[in-house]
Amino acid sequence: MTYLIYQVDAFTDRVFGGNPAAVMPLDKWLPDATMQALAAENNLSETAFLVPLPEQDDADFHIRWFTPGTEVPLCGHATLASAWVIFNKLGWPKDSIRFASKSGPLGVRQDSTGWLVLDFPNLAFDQQQTPAIIRQALETVPDTAYFVPNDTNYMIVLDSEAAVRAAQPELRKLKELGNQGLIVTAKGDHCDFVSRYFAPGAGIDEDPVTGSIHSVLVPYWAEQLGKTKLDARQVSKRGGVLRCELQGNRVAIAGQAAFYMEGSIQL
């Protein structure tokens, strides 16, 4: 069988920026082991798989996301890349898309400027003592961390953007968190907040731009800064730009996308 595959750089307006994601539209699901093997072969932080839901009233596509090592419950950049493919390669006639996912209903729309706006959940987080693994993996971390139970992540808040940029966690130690990742964030110098994201236990040493972590970053920084509209930067080597808005129990996360490649896979 021949399957189409696309690669799109998300949260950027240029190729080789942002976060690359593979997108594979399917007529029906492949076996989980096959999708996991495809994601490992692609060796990108995420591969998204889509199946249309023509007879379902509340969703247009079912979406699933796989890192090279595991399936994850939520992914922003691969959802944005998938929407770009649906709008630009699959002839989608509407200006919005509804996805069914393991994290519930998600939406993507195109705004008047051409940016793609993700409709994601507002994720709750619990304050707790910073785990010993994180303290051992990264110097000068605060005593308090935040755990995001619905996205299997920890978040720590540093004193400055410079500290976030300079962070060099010991990835072998951080891998002991298993499927859990680490968000590192601080108030931005030229934007509202910055972040980086590390998930070596899921096969991602550092993710270039991670849309899904903004489901917790936005409500956190909205409370800290006293505003609901926030400009964000993920300050990885590739870097990414996100326009965010807290909308009650939902978070709007907007970004651009740059098309890189399309091809086919033989299975």
Side-chain angles (χ1 to χ4, degrees):
M1 293 291 293
T2 300
Y3 298 91
L4 293 175
I5 184 168
Y6 303 89
Q7 188 169 321
V8 178
D9 292 335
F11 295 112
T12 183
D13 61 356
R14 58 182 178 83
V15 172
F16 308 130
N19 199 354
V23 179
M24 291 190 63
L26 304 171
D27 294 327
K28 60 182 180 180
W29 294 117
L30 298 170
D32 286 7
T34 300
M35 291 189 288
Q36 186 62 74
L38 285 163
E41 186 79 5
N42 292 335
N43 200 31
L44 298 171
S45 59
E46 302 284 352
T47 297
F49 298 90
L50 314 171
V51 170
L53 299 171
E55 298 180 358
Q56 194 159 318
D57 293 334
D58 58 351
D60 304 307
F61 294 87
H62 191 179
I63 188 168
R64 295 173 68 183
W65 312 275
F66 288 77
T67 76
T70 189
E71 184 175 7
V72 295
L74 186 64
C75 177
H77 85 278
T79 303
L80 187 139
S82 297
W84 189 96
V85 168
I86 293 169
F87 283 130
N88 293 279
K89 295 294 183 178
L90 303 187
W92 188 247
K94 303 175 184 178
D95 60 4
S96 63
I97 304 165
R98 301 168 302 167
F99 291 108
S101 80
K102 288 193 171 184
S103 291
L106 308 173
V108 185
R109 62 178 175 84
Q110 294 188 93
D111 71 11
S112 60
T113 67
W115 285 51
L116 298 172
V117 185
L118 305 175
D119 173 26
F120 267 38
N122 175 342
L123 294 182
F125 51 90
D126 302 321
Q127 185 172 324
Q128 58 183 246
Q129 186 175 358
T130 302
I133 291 173
I134 295 175
R135 299 181 67 87
Q136 294 164 11
L138 185 62
E139 295 181 357
T140 322
V141 298
D143 293 333
T144 299
Y146 301 89
F147 181 62
V148 190
N150 289 334
D151 200 24
T152 62
N153 288 317
Y154 287 95
M155 180 175 74
I156 60 171
V157 182
L158 301 184
D159 294 335
S160 66
E161 177 175 324
V164 173
R165 290 180 179 273
Q168 294 183 324
E170 185 181 337
L171 296 175
R172 284 186 296 178
K173 174 57 68 173
L174 207 56
K175 193 173 184 178
E176 294 179 19
L177 288 173
N179 195 32
Q180 297 169 338
L182 176 64
I183 306 163
V184 181
T185 187
K187 186 176 179 181
D189 295 335
H190 304 290
C191 62
D192 291 305
F193 65 89
V194 298
S195 66
R196 292 171 69 192
Y197 181 62
F198 307 91
I204 307 166
D205 287 348
E206 180 173 1
D207 200 29
V209 195
T210 318
S212 63
I213 63 174
H214 290 76
S215 281
V216 63
L217 284 164
V218 171
Y220 174 84
W221 284 111
E223 181 178 355
Q224 297 298 312
L225 300 176
K227 57 194 298 189
T228 57
K229 293 185 177 180
L230 302 154
D231 289 329
R233 304 287 185 274
Q234 196 151 334
V235 290
S236 64
K237 183 177 180 180
R238 291 174 65 108
V241 178
L242 309 93
R243 297 174 182 168
C244 307
E245 184 176 359
L246 182 63
Q247 300 176 336
N249 65 350
R250 307 294 292 180
V251 175
I253 306 164
Q256 296 169 288
F259 178 58
Y260 174 64
M261 181 175 64
E262 66 179 285
S264 61
I265 291 175
Q266 309 297 314
L267 292 180

